[in-house]
């Protein structure tokens, strides 16, 4: 049993955590395989029942995780890195599988969540920066004006965080979706992992959208198909670990032998609450965000027919 | 008569230009006065008839211009400048006169138009950066939680330019206005002047909103009360002169003695069209935008009751 | 006895830590007092002997710390904040006391250390952004051209981090000092504290310069009077806590009753090393850096005679 | 004869201008050819005598210009563009021909001149942003630690502009060169062209370094082999046209039939001086700088053995 409520945006970690206590999880189907020269480890977690959702603390839906050990080392010798293309193609494949069929997804709105002024939270804005935006050109010239087989109408938005806009991100997105009627919405965000080992090398794609209380910052209210009326795909990479989580986990590992009450008393006296609104991140997070944003943007550009 | 269609966002300049030819302008009422120690020259141009609008090439409405000769020199010894406070207060007075009464303007959405990656076009985003945003706090804690006499609910947005979003700015603003229902919208933008003498020292405030075809970039479609259903105040400072305008004006001044046909032929042969999408701006535009954005943001903060 | 080597840039914290074990510290003289309406708590730690330096793990010299509980809340209603001026003046007083006499410090080079692309490490570059730079003007027009009683020749540099320049910061600074011969160097940097309670509300000023191995990033090699030949004042605010330190401290507090060997074994099995190159910082670090940089820059501008 | 002193950083344009009046230029040797699928037009201007230098207003040395008509259109469908690689390789070839032999150029310092806060002037800082920096790694691990045939020790610096540092760029560079002893210096800068037709599609590489009075901003003092003691290669792209130049040229073209005195009087009455410190640039300069900086950085990375 967990005495400490660890926080993670990764369904993968939520499942591992629960599994420690109870191997048989009803309503949670897991599939795993390796792919490619870059040794991409793909895990597909499907939460199919309300019981599974409750157990994992995540909404029902599909969560695909790509673990790429080399992702943090890639690109040492250049901005973009050599294995980067292969990873982008695999992300594109997994993303396409979660998106509606091309005919029903002729137009997509990509939302870059997060705060561009906080490096670890700037993944969403950085990805949008590298996207090929086509909606205005297709509306002006028509699809036939471009020598491409397939071409999705792509628009994008960086809504900013509530402290700077005074509005919920969900309000902004809802207004824009109603006004511009995309067939699908893709939200890109920096995530929180439970373990530092997953930072900056794990990509999660899900068809469940974004739910309040998750994410690096406080900027996330529900951005889901239920609210917006169109499919919402969430794509992100964990760039931080919650500070209280990292301390709590360390304490717990040392206390596997101690009784719950002893532990809880000790923990409370330590005022983990002073770690609220604190997070742990890597010192070279600027280089990491730069590299990740190229890979994710290329994956999106491939998906939308804008990169051969 | 003008052979060359000079472009300006300033009603002040549009009027001067027409006046050369025809002193009596029906439907255009002009009022001028000096105020303050900083020698602020205020011009209020009211276009009251369709004829006036046609003559000036601007929609009917009120355009207040503050010319502050010292604005470009201010703040040499500090970020903010000494006369800056007085100018901010005068801007606030003029802005308040154009805004609906406080009771009807309990909430305001401020839009920072322009491209934050092009220095001369970044005035709007820079002003928004320095605003006190209160909507989310008032919604959470209520107005009474703050020890202030008067406090407007302020939200803000930097929509970005069409080349980066694929959407018209007007679509984005319309969606957000419908979703969040502010009582008024204020749009901040970098403007184009006709003369370099007006650059960076002239502030225009109007109650006509934003109309297609004006502004530094291509990012402006109509953002008006007619479209949004709430009053729209536009506030801006000219930071650029259209390159074709500056050359055309120079040619015209030299050719006052030549006949129209001779001039037109010469001008065409010179291919002013190669100057399309080119503008003239000052070399120290970064320092200018920084300084102006502080003054305009302070004016807004005073207006909204957030700065004593 | 400490089993875990906690890392802190604050002499204040280094002293507290040692004091736990041994109340009488030879070679360390401490003086404390409160000042001002903002309840600034000033601590002056003087390390006067090699023994004191060894005990505290800091070079001999004077370390002044200003603790300002309100610093994190200041400026809620505006960019700059109301108490901010008083704090800037106190910082200026403390800084002036450490600087050589005005006659001997007619010119000062301010170095903004850190990585401008990592928010928590961008304090130095942000402070330099707001400084009044006067060296080039005084060299061009002479001091008498300016209507100021006293005016220091101020130059500044943001050298960047080694990962981006390929050079030690100390190499860059040494080269520029030799070429431009300032009378003193002031280095501004984001610091690492041991406790999250000190983050963003503590200002340390010392006359010892910068020593390898300290600071947020890896960008610091020795920048001292010994190396440069002119006095070097270091000024900084802790914005991060080392991730291993925060976990190690939490473990230690729980284990005060356990024997050292038990603790060490447990700690090693926990691989704190995976926390290397990780740090803990606040979620709103962008707003914090913005606010702190205004206060520190104003303190410098006052000191150099550029702000009345 | 030219009545108006047009300003250009391109030896190519300086030569064209003089040639109008005098076809036979002693001391100026010009060579031209086309290369590659992208139709790169290469012009090599060699100024071999003092007379040639005086005629062209440029120091003696070699100036290679690559004109790439497609450079402004490249990369529409992606960040980087398809022809971009070929252009980068040709730049690398031309650059290598001007650099000392590899054995004598084992280490290179790349200087990104210009103001990163003014978009049109930010080419130098943007190129440096994308460079592979290796000096610190080679010093730590040795060349043999890297699986590369050839690898230059690369360091870089963005010195900033005098208004922000208070120092001449040349002082900063000289200090760093003395301290770190590179075998050669490469300075990257945004240039001024005389004609808008050359903007953003012309790359000039010369072995003459940087001379006072040229460039977009005021940040350039002499950075030459004479001053630094090592070869200095300058590489740049014109991103602006001087505003007075563009108006003066237009006037001159209209006045080919007028007498000099008439023209001069007219020109003076027009106060071109109000255009001092003003420049003309393209509206989409942000996208242009982004694209150019990738191409130039790739050319440098290829040259230094960091990109296959």
């Amino acid at each position: 049993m967990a005495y400490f409520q660890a926080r993670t945006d990764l369904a993968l970690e939520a499942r591992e955590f629960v599994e420690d206590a109870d191997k048989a999880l009803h309503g949670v189907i897991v599939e795993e395989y390796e792919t490619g020269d870059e040794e991409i480890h793909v895990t597909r977690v499907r939460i199919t029942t309300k019981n599974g959702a409750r157990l994992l603390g995540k909404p029902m839906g599909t969560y695909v995780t790509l673990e790429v050990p080399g992702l943090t080392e890639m690109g040492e010798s250049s901005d973009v890195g050599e294995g980067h293309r292969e990873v982008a193609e695999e992300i594109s494949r997994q993303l396409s599988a979660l998106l509606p069929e091309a005919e029903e997804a002729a137009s997509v709105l990509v939302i870059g969540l997060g705060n561009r002024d906080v490096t670890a939270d700037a993944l969403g804005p950085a990805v949008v920066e590298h996207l090929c935006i086509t909606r205005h050109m297709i509306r002006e010239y028509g699809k036939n004006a471009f020598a491409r087989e397939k071409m999705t109408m792509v628009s994008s938005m960086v809504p900013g965080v509530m402290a700077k806009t005074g509005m919920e991100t969900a309000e902004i997105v809802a207004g824009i979706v109603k006004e511009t009627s995309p067939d699908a919405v893709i939200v890109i965000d920096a995530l929180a992992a439970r373990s530092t080992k997953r930072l900056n090398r794990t990509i999660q794609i899900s068809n469940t959208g974004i739910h309040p209380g998750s994410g690096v910052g406080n900027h996330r209210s529900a951005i889901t198909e239920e609210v917006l009326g169109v499919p919402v795909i969430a794509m992100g990479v964990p760039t931080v670990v919650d500070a209280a989580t990292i301390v709590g986990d360390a304490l717990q590992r040392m206390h596997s032998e101690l009784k719950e009450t002893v532990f809880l008393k000790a923990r409370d006296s330590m005022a983990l609450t002073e770690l609220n609104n604190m997070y742990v991140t890597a010192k070279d997070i600027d280089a990491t965000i730069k590299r990740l944003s190229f890979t994710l943007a290329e994956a999106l550009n491939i998906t939308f027919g804008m990169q051969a």
Side-chain angles (χ1 to χ4, degrees), chain A:
Chain A
M1 265 303 295
Y3 319 139
F4 175 74
Q5 183 59 46
R7 179 177 150 226
T8 177
D9 289 326
L10 298 177
L12 185 69
E13 289 187 334
R15 184 204 54 137
E16 283 173 356
F17 189 55
V18 177
E19 233 171 29
D20 292 349
D22 180 355
K23 283 286 174 191
L25 284 183
H26 294 291
V28 179
I29 300 166
V30 179
E31 200 186 329
E32 295 186 63
Y33 60 92
E34 307 280 328
T35 181
D37 294 338
E38 288 297 327
E39 299 185 354
I40 303 170
H41 185 85
V42 180
T43 308
R44 187 182 298 261
V45 177
R46 283 163 54 214
I47 306 181
T48 56
T49 66
K50 284 189 182 170
N51 181 55
R54 194 184 51 75
L55 278 171
L56 261 56
K58 305 263 167 235
M60 287 167 60
T62 301
Y63 301 81
V64 179
T65 308
L66 289 78
E67 288 173 275
V68 192
L71 201 56
T72 46
E73 280 82 36
M74 268 180 199
E76 245 183 26
S77 66
S78 77
D79 269 321
V80 173
E82 280 141 45
H84 139 100
R85 173 75 192 188
E86 186 191 326
V87 177
E89 282 169 359
E90 183 61 29
I91 297 173
S92 176
R93 260 190 296 278
Q94 298 291 348
L95 176 62
S96 299
L98 289 180
L99 273 172
E101 292 295 311
E103 305 86 68
E104 284 108 54
S107 66
V108 168
L109 170 62
V110 182
I111 302 290
L113 292 186
N115 184 345
R116 69 170 87 222
D117 294 329
V118 172
T119 316
D121 198 22
L123 180 68
V127 169
V128 163
E129 186 88 355
H130 302 307
L131 282 188
C132 298
I133 303 302
T134 56
R135 180 177 178 268
H136 58 305
M137 296 195 299
I138 294 176
R139 274 160 63 103
E140 177 114 18
Y141 303 109
K143 279 205 180 193
N144 299 333
F146 302 87
R148 294 184 179 276
E149 236 174 280
K150 174 209 160 186
M151 195 168 150
T152 306
M153 235 186 204
V154 181
S155 55
S156 77
M157 189 70 210
V158 173
V161 292
M162 194 163 69
K164 293 185 183 173
T165 65
M167 301 180 280
E168 301 268 353
T169 304
E171 292 179 289
I172 297 170
V173 175
I176 293 171
V177 166
K178 279 179 203 157
E179 202 71 24
T180 64
S181 306
D183 296 324
V185 169
I186 297 179
V187 284
I188 315 291
D189 202 3
L191 305 177
R194 182 175 175 182
S195 158
T196 55
K197 282 176 288 187
R198 290 240 163 63
L199 289 189
N200 309 325
R201 64 186 67 186
T202 310
I203 299 137
Q204 177 175 277
I205 312 169
S206 82
N207 60 5
T208 58
I210 295 282
H211 293 266
S214 48
V216 177
N218 295 319
H219 50 79
R220 310 213 303 187
S221 40
I223 304 177
T224 59
E225 179 160 6
E226 201 172 13
V227 170
L228 298 182
V230 295
V232 181
I233 307 295
M235 184 155 99
V237 176
T239 60
V240 305
V241 176
D242 188 69
T245 296
I246 220 163
V247 172
D249 269 6
L251 294 179
Q252 229 155 15
R253 275 185 282 170
M254 283 204 73
H255 280 273
S256 46
E257 81 286 355
L258 292 186
K259 279 203 287 297
E260 182 175 348
T261 48
V262 172
F263 174 80
L264 285 176
K265 219 162 62 186
R267 196 200 62 190
D268 291 348
S269 72
M270 218 168 309
L272 285 186
T273 53
E274 84 183 38
L275 295 178
N276 276 351
N277 293 317
M278 296 263 160
Y279 62 79
V280 176
T281 193
K283 277 177 185 168
D284 61 349
I285 186 68
D286 57 331
T288 298
I289 291 290
K290 195 176 167 189
R291 206 169 46 232
L292 289 171
S293 68
F294 274 106
T295 304
L296 265 58
E298 185 158 337
L300 289 166
N301 288 335
I302 293 170
T303 307
F304 302 146
M306 294 305 294
Q307 216 153 34

